[in-house]
Amino acid sequence: MRRILHISDLHFGRDRPELLRPLIAMINRLAPDLVAVSGDFTQRARLGQYRAARAFLSQLAVPWLAVPGNHDTPLDNLFVRFLRPWDRYRHYIHPELEPSWEDEEVAIVGINTVNNWSWQRGRIGRRTMRRVCRAFDGNAGRRMHIAMLHHPLEHSPTVEKRLMRGARGALERMGDCGADIVLSGHLHTWHARPFADEAGVLFVQAGTGLSTRVRGEPNDFNLLTIDGPRVAVEQWTAAAESTNFAPTRTVRFVKVGSAWRDEGTSTPDPTPTGQA
């Protein structure tokens, strides 16, 4: 069994500072096997914002893996953005933009979907997918294969933003080469379900961990518990008036053959133990 804590869109520079210490404390208390951060550490990729992101990571007592988001390249410094877009990220976060992590049960591959010419929308190409598929090759049925990227591969009908360039082809390729789960962020909304166009790949999207731009949903993170072919996605949220993160709902899935099956959703019992 493995426990992966998935968080996204921290947006230091436009964050809720009162949530920072409770978030760090809760992550360390939960003690997952890995923290997976799917981009947008900063709001404007400024040095002070990156220092805050680095301080956050340095206080985590567990391993972490991260990919950048579109806000992690300087928006207001075009020279840096186009000629040296990742200098600050590499200095403060990690030298690798597409890191990976694996053990005997889980293999996670990071994907950088931020493109200089498609900054907001994002882009994923064939070369990237060849690398992802090579990473998953030969481990089918033995490890849970997870891809992590910032921009989602599918939008719900209510999303007004344009879907990432290359997303449809990449999703089809994910299914063909054995991806089981895709972690993403970007939209500040939460999802946990199989992709509509690829039932063999589970779409897990985190909202925003700390940003004030919650878009009608609370600040949150996901805790994935992976046990063989079964995955439980537990959403932890902090309401607008709260400074504590607590579990809100758990969605359970099992992979049967080449498709995910929903095993139901549960919510915490609000009644204290011993009371009717």
Side-chain angles (χ1 to χ4, degrees), residues 124 149 151-155 163-164 167-168 170-171 174 182 195:
I124 185 169
L149 58 162
H151 297 84
L153 296 176
E154 188 173 276
H155 284 177
L163 186 64
M164 175 173 57
R168 291 183 177 88
L171 178 55
M174 291 273 190
V182 173
F195 281 97

Side-chain angles (χ1 to χ4, degrees), residues 74-85:
L75 177 65
D76 48 6
N77 188 327
L78 294 181
F79 175 82
V80 175
R81 177 179 161 191
F82 284 102
L83 297 182
R84 297 179 351 201

